[in-house]
Amino acid sequence: MNVQPDHHDHHDHHSPSGDAAPRIVVLGSLNMDLVLRVPHAPAAGETLAGHCMTAIAGGKGANQAVSSARAGGRVSMIGCVGDDPHGQVLRDALHRDGIDTTALRTVPGEPTGTALILVEDNGQNRIVILAGANARLRIDEAALRQQLQGAAFLVAQFESPMAQVERAIVLAHEAGCKVMLNPSPVRAIGAPLWPCIDTLVVNEIEAQALSGQAAGSPREAALAGHALRALGARRVVVTLGEHGAVAIDADGARHHPALPVKAIDTTAAGDTFLGTLAVALGQGHGLDAAVRLGIRAAALCIQQLGAQPSIPRQRDVLRSPLPADWTPL
């Protein structure tokens, strides 16, 4: 198999013509992550001595908003927190990254969403989510339509009520705003919604669940991606952890290798990849150049502990090593 050069390589170090700071609207979850470091996941009935526990700002929506902001986007966050100390901490964390929280609602009497995260010494994580205030998200359609005007992407995941996410995606599509969807935790996507998706970002588990076929290897991921495009999504990116990512669009499928780094904590790696991808595409990068930037950002993320603290800034991503060239599949 001959290795093709990345025709967008020259874009890796500067923005092509396009909006240098594209507007990204993120609809999604905000959680306080209670992170417990353990030697290994306890077996049934096993009592284990952990290393330490920390409370860190997280939630897929908030992580993707922070990633988009640190990648150079102008970001608005739509979501809900509780009227408790955790909610204020999460709101303050977004403000520090310059994220517009006008549409972030505080729900009286509800706890802020919480994620209980076990991180093993090998970097593997296991997560249990308590939705809390996230379950109370209701979109303000008039306000959302206004926010979507001129935005590069509406970014959404499935940690918020499905009916609200689906409605937001339809509104974005009607407004001419591209939709980047990360269907996590994975659940079925209704047939009418597929053609509204510009860029679908899935890991191998989500790709398999939605396409009905294995996606563990780059070649399998390419086939699963083609199946997902056939449902209506314009382009698909399947992330494969240490095996990189596969980009699938009308031009076919390409495998982008990961950077060889030691994983300390994989929490927020996918969210880091996605936010970087959204901003790069919003700046006018091609899909392959955007995926390469996402891989570089995720490689930096997994070498640090915690969700939002580990999300890198654009200048650090641009100084980081380049992945090896992609190969067509």
Side-chain angles (χ1 to χ4, degrees), residues 75-116:
V75 184
S76 309
M77 177 85 215
I78 302 170
C80 291
V81 292
D83 59 350
D84 53 13
H86 282 170
Q88 193 57 51
V89 169
L90 296 183
R91 190 181 282 276
D92 292 346
L94 296 181
H95 283 158
R96 281 197 298 277
D97 275 296
I99 294 166
D100 178 359
T101 58
T102 310
L104 179 59
R105 195 162 66 89
T106 298
V107 185
E110 282 285 346
T112 295
T114 307
L116 304 170

Side-chain angles (χ1 to χ4, degrees), residues 56-171:
I56 300 172
K60 290 194 79 66
N63 292 347
Q64 291 173 10
V66 168
S67 173
S68 300
R70 291 184 190 170
R74 285 177 294 147
V75 184
S76 309
M77 177 85 215
I78 302 170
C80 291
V81 292
D83 59 350
D84 53 13
H86 282 170
Q88 193 57 51
V89 169
L90 296 183
R91 190 181 282 276
D92 292 346
L94 296 181
H95 283 158
R96 281 197 298 277
D97 275 296
I99 294 166
D100 178 359
T101 58
T102 310
L104 179 59
R105 195 162 66 89
T106 298
V107 185
E110 282 285 346
T112 295
T114 307
L116 304 170
I117 304 178
L118 285 184
V119 181
E120 301 177 62
D121 284 348
N122 66 6
Q124 182 59 251
N125 60 27
R126 294 160 197 267
I127 304 176
V128 179
I129 291 171
L130 303 166
N134 291 309
R136 300 286 297 276
L137 177 67
R138 300 292 178 270
I139 58 171
D140 176 335
E141 295 196 5
L144 179 59
R145 280 196 181 93
Q146 207 160 8
Q147 278 189 301
L148 293 169
Q149 291 304 315
F153 279 101
L154 169 71
V155 169
Q157 338 71 37
F158 286 169
E159 283 184 357
S160 304
M162 268 307 268
Q164 301 299 308
V165 176
E166 289 172 353
R167 185 67 188 135
I169 288 171
V170 169
L171 288 173

Side-chain angles (χ1 to χ4, degrees), residues 153 178-182 196-201 233-237 277 281 287:
F153 279 101
K178 291 175 178 172
V179 173
M180 180 173 288
L181 178 64
N182 172 214
C196 300
I197 302 167
D198 176 82
T199 309
L200 184 77
V201 182
R234 191 166 83 87
R235 29 187 195 193
V236 178
V237 179
L277 184 78
L281 291 172
L287 182 59

